[in-house]
Amino acid sequence: RPSGSTWRSTSSPPDAPADPDSSLAEQLARAIADRRLELAFQPIVAVAGGDEAQYQVLMRLRGSEDTLHTAATILPVAEAAGLVHDIDRQVLEQAIGVLQRQQHAGAGVRLFVSQSASTLSREGYADWLLKALGNAGVRPDLLVIDVQQDLGTITLQEFSARMVPTGVQLCLGRYDPGREIDLLLPQLPLSFVRLAPGFSSRLVDPGVRDRMREAVERAHRLGLLVIGQQVEDPQAAATLWMSGIDFIQGNLVQQAAGDLDFDFHHSVL
């Protein structure tokens, strides 16, 4: 586990290059301590039209030389450094702050915020989250917590038992049909599922299209709304639309940005 120290091991030659992951871990630890993590927002747009504003919250780290690191780069380093919980909590705090400002401005917006299994399983975390929403005066139904398939059934049921009665919604991220998850799905009080990103990028494969349709149909039978993510081209969007998907998210719609500036009123897919 990276220590955060800048000292070089005495066993290394004097000109040994620095471990890039160690350097990134140090930058990340400093950013967390200084509350400098940044948020980016990507719109989630209804394929059938509608003006309900909702965004996926994405975490960014501004590194040296103004490099902007994405979560895909940061999270493996954070896991090795034991910083995932700090990131989850700080991102959620910032997201609640955004919801508070939007609500006070009369511009209701729904935010989807990913949280790790290890964070959601922490004792007292659900209580902290509900208290944070209450202190901010934020409507709980404006927050959707993205949960992952690797979160244990008991943990997820305990967490959802606290969240759902208050109005906080849950979304299963990276949904990919399979025996284990399909048996679990009916037991969970979800509102949304987000398809695994591999579906959008491999829809030219007939087998992938069939699995995607199966996933959408199964979710709809359970009353769940389905989000297709990482949609990059019109052909993929059209295939998803014909399969009955409810929402599309990806660079085809709009790249993630630091502002909540997407025009949901006039969006046409």
Side-chain angles (χ1 to χ4, degrees):
R1 175 179 295 184
S3 64
S5 170
T6 57
W7 291 101
R8 179 186 291 134
S9 168
T10 55
S11 62
S12 301
D15 59 349
D19 178 357
D21 283 350
S22 176
S23 174
L24 187 56
E26 292 166 5
Q27 294 179 50
L28 181 57
R30 288 196 297 270
I32 292 170
D34 298 340
R35 302 189 65 80
R36 287 189 291 104
L37 294 179
E38 299 183 19
L39 301 185
F41 307 90
Q42 189 165 51
I44 301 172
V45 180
V47 297
D51 56 6
E52 187 174 43
Q54 51 188 12
Y55 295 83
Q56 174 77 24
V57 175
L58 303 167
M59 184 265 295
R60 300 286 187 259
L61 170 66
R62 194 167 297 278
S64 56
E65 300 180 357
D66 212 34
T67 303
L68 202 59
H69 299 287
T70 65
T73 301
I74 298 165
L75 289 180
V77 176
E79 289 175 1
L83 296 172
V84 171
H85 174 65
D86 298 305
I87 291 174
D88 281 343
R89 180 160 174 157
Q90 194 167 125
V91 166
L92 197 47
E93 287 173 339
Q94 290 192 49
I96 290 173
V98 171
L99 289 173
Q100 182 185 45
R101 292 190 292 274
Q102 291 291 312
Q103 188 173 296
H104 285 174
V109 61
R110 176 179 294 124
L111 295 182
F112 289 68
V113 184
S114 294
Q115 297 278 278
S116 68
S118 59
T119 291
L120 296 184
S121 63
R122 282 203 170 202
E123 185 176 354
Y125 194 68
D127 292 331
W128 169 82
L129 169 53
L130 295 177
K131 184 177 180 181
L133 285 170
N135 289 343
V138 169
R139 284 170 39 199
D141 62 298
L142 297 177
L143 176 65
V144 183
I145 300 293
D146 268 335
V147 299
Q148 304 304 319
Q149 293 187 193
D150 61 353
L151 187 60
T153 306
I154 294 176
T155 298
L156 183 50
Q157 288 174 335
E158 290 176 348
F159 181 78
S160 61
R162 297 299 316 282
M163 294 295 111
V164 174
T166 71
V168 175
Q169 300 180 79
L170 301 180
C171 173
L172 179 68
R174 307 177 70 88
Y175 173 50
D176 191 354
R179 184 177 183 278
E180 184 176 348
I181 188 60
D182 289 339
L183 288 173
L184 178 62
L185 213 56
Q187 304 176 38
L188 303 177
L190 302 167
S191 298
F192 305 86
V193 295
R194 180 180 283 103
L195 297 180
F199 283 116
S200 299
S201 61
R202 296 187 290 119
L203 287 174
V204 292
D205 183 331
V208 173
R209 289 200 301 272
D210 289 343
R211 282 178 54 77
M212 185 266 294
R213 291 191 185 97
E214 173 191 341
V216 172
E217 290 170 3
R218 177 173 282 106
H220 282 167
R221 284 197 299 269
L222 296 171
L224 308 178
L225 298 172
V226 185
I227 303 168
Q229 65 172 321
Q230 295 187 17
V231 181
E232 306 293 328
D233 62 83
Q235 184 176 353
T239 302
L240 288 165
W241 179 77
M242 289 187 293
S243 299
I245 202 98
D246 299 291
F247 301 98
I248 284 181
Q249 171 191 352
N251 290 340
L252 176 68
V253 178
Q254 181 174 286
Q255 292 189 353
D259 300 316
L260 302 172
D261 61 356
F262 186 77
D263 186 0
F264 287 88
H265 295 276
H266 300 99
S267 63
V268 178
L269 294 176

